[in-house]
Amino acid sequence: MNKIVNSSWTPDDSAELYGVRDWGVGYYDVSDKGLLTVSTGDPDSPVTAPLLNIVQDIRERGLDAPVLIRFEDILEQQIGRLNIAFKTAIDSAGYNGQYRGVFPIKVNQQCHVIEEIATVGAQYGHGLEAGSKPELIIALAHLESPDAHIICNGYKDQEFIDLGLQATKMGYSCFFVIETPSELPILLERSRALNIKPLIGVRVKLASVVGGHWNATSGDRSIFGLSIAQLIEMIDTLREEAMLDCLQLLHYHLGSQIPNIRDIRSGVVEACQVYMELLREGADMQFLDLGGGLAVDYDGSKTNHIHSKNYTVDEYCADIIDVVMSTLDPEGIEHPTIITESGRATIAYSSVLIFNVLDVASSAPGAIPDSIPEDEHPLLHSMKETLNNLCEKNMQECYNDAVFYRDEVRDIFKRGQIGLRSRSLAENLFLLVMNNILALSETAARPLQEIDILREQLSDIYYGNFSLFQSLPDVWAIDQIFPIAPIHRLDERPTREAIIADITCDCDGKIDRFTNMHETKKTIGLHPLKDDEDYFIGVFLVGAYQETLGDLHNLFGDPNVVSVRLHTDGSYEFADEIEGDSISDVLSYVEYQPQQLRERFRKIAERSVRQGQITASERQTIMKAFSASMQGYTYYEKD
Ligand SMILES: *Cc1c(COP(=O)(O)O)cnc(C)c1O
């Protein structure tokens, strides 16, 4: 779409167009130089750096785009924010219990992330949630303080249980959360065999159902957790074994990204009732674990839309404390330690994926002669006439006519009645009519009915140097929306409307849904490429779930990852750099042996020498190129 360029464009206009100040929550902003910036530290005197400078500095060190940048300070601040918000809510309400968060490792298992969380979390007693044996091993190796809990969810076999029991003996606060009735007998048997008393939690299925993407985790048909009937059986078994005092924790998880605070409240109300009943049954209840669900406002709209949330972190904490107190106090029940398992909200903000644009497929029509040759097919003359007559009043009619003529032209081409050049001229004429209609329609009092379709169909395709399947799997799998914006040139009006395609050549490897306050847009405004300058686009809030869910579709591997720490003097440090997969790496993931591949290729090259197709020294050059490729990045590299 060619917007009429008359008034000037400011960085503030870009900030508004891309919603940066809404979803950026102070971490991301647009500078008056038109650069997208990251800010950390005290909101009153933040430390700020332009992303473009960071990307260029990373590049100078030999790590090319695409690159995933992790801002360690943001992760630290998010952990602090959650813990401080709970502390504030607890203090101001006069709550007698504590808050102890745990980070669910599955949300981002990367070593550097977990190390960071364990280090920063220590002061708050922030623990880890493990859903598998490898995750338990990670948790055991990172948590030192008994204040920080380990919550073991997921299926647990004997090996998992034995390890957890030994950890309990060593002084870890390691809870086994019973998710299915079959786990309990193994736990009891192993605890007798090892003579170690376990800390037991139980996950219940609540009747409360939430809205949003992940609502299948709530309600009767959720796959994990005990039904109320199974819970009663578990209590009876524990009582018979004289181990009811081991049951201390109640857990539920309504699902991730809960947009509506009402759903969160209603889950807590129901859980509190179960909690009190467990106490009455004789369990030594002390912990109420509300699971994850604290949402991220990806579109910045502050609504109960699935990509947003209608509450702040402070409200989330205050509401939970309020509901627990108002439910338990009338019964005179002691306040439990509140545990939440916030993953998404803790880690999402800290990562940005940055890629360069390789090419643009424009929807602009090719050259059209001033007059259509006399002997051209009459349909082409009709199309030209439509073009000439087009005005705001008749644009609907012209639209219908042009579509009709184009379809007719395609039909007669199929029947062999016109040639390729005539068909090409017709397609160009059609595109020009459509572009003109769209331009008219954008400013018309009564726009064309089909304007949305037209806008989408006439948008450019920007080819980004990244793999959607590797770096943004949720965009493909569950239509997740992430905020996207160019990281520079924000003082220029974006004159193109575009969708973004990745380089996997898969028709699903595209982004055609963008955040736009109260609706999703099918295109994004971008700038025309410049000849000698890279154009960098950032995809924001990608810290949760994307890194390990990604796959090797088309054998594009992990991108380069750089952890950045900002200093108060405005400088920054690359605290950690992880080179992305090389071609040889990804080939070995699918069981090829690089050495063997080279050997096979060498034999074929040698045959070519014998057959006189290449010379021996050409063979050497070819083999060198082959070997060099193996060591290269899987993404598009500039020389
Ligand atoms: C996935 C998961 C979480 C994390 O949820 P977020 O919405 O990312 O905070 C917490 N607890 C359990 C049991 C989970 O399965």
Side-chain angles (χ1 to χ4, degrees), residues 255-292:
S256 200
Q257 182 72 12
I258 303 174
N260 196 338
I261 188 82
R262 272 216 323 252
D263 291 334
I264 289 170
R265 286 186 74 107
S266 87
V268 180
V269 171
E270 190 181 351
C272 282
Q273 294 299 340
V274 178
Y275 183 88
M276 290 192 290
E277 287 298 317
L278 288 172
L279 270 170
R280 288 178 189 128
E281 288 284 341
D284 185 18
M285 299 306 288
Q286 299 172 40
F287 300 90
L288 182 58
D289 175 354
L290 316 178

Side-chain angles (χ1 to χ4, degrees), residues 209-252:
V209 178
V210 306
H213 258 313
W214 288 264
N215 54 15
T217 10
S218 58
D220 291 338
R221 287 294 296 159
S222 61
I223 34 183
F224 286 116
L226 302 192
S227 67
I228 296 300
Q230 290 167 333
L231 180 63
I232 294 293
E233 281 174 31
M234 173 174 164
I235 294 167
D236 291 344
T237 308
L238 285 173
R239 186 179 289 122
E240 278 162 29
E241 302 279 338
M243 286 177 72
L244 201 48
D245 61 326
C246 296
L247 178 57
Q248 300 184 358
L249 177 145
L250 174 67
H251 167 65
Y252 70 93

Side-chain angles (χ1 to χ4, degrees), residues 293-340:
L294 175 55
V296 166
D297 194 359
Y298 291 102
D299 67 13
S301 68
K302 301 185 174 68
T303 62
N304 63 1
H305 185 273
I306 51 169
H307 302 299
S308 183
K309 63 176 165 112
N310 64 3
Y311 53 93
T312 63
V313 173
D314 290 339
E315 283 160 0
Y316 172 83
C317 300
D319 274 29
I320 288 172
I321 295 299
D322 174 56
V323 173
V324 174
M325 285 177 82
S326 59
T327 318
L328 300 190
D329 283 352
E331 307 293 320
I333 288 179
E334 226 174 282
H335 298 159
T337 295
I338 302 284
I339 293 175
T340 67

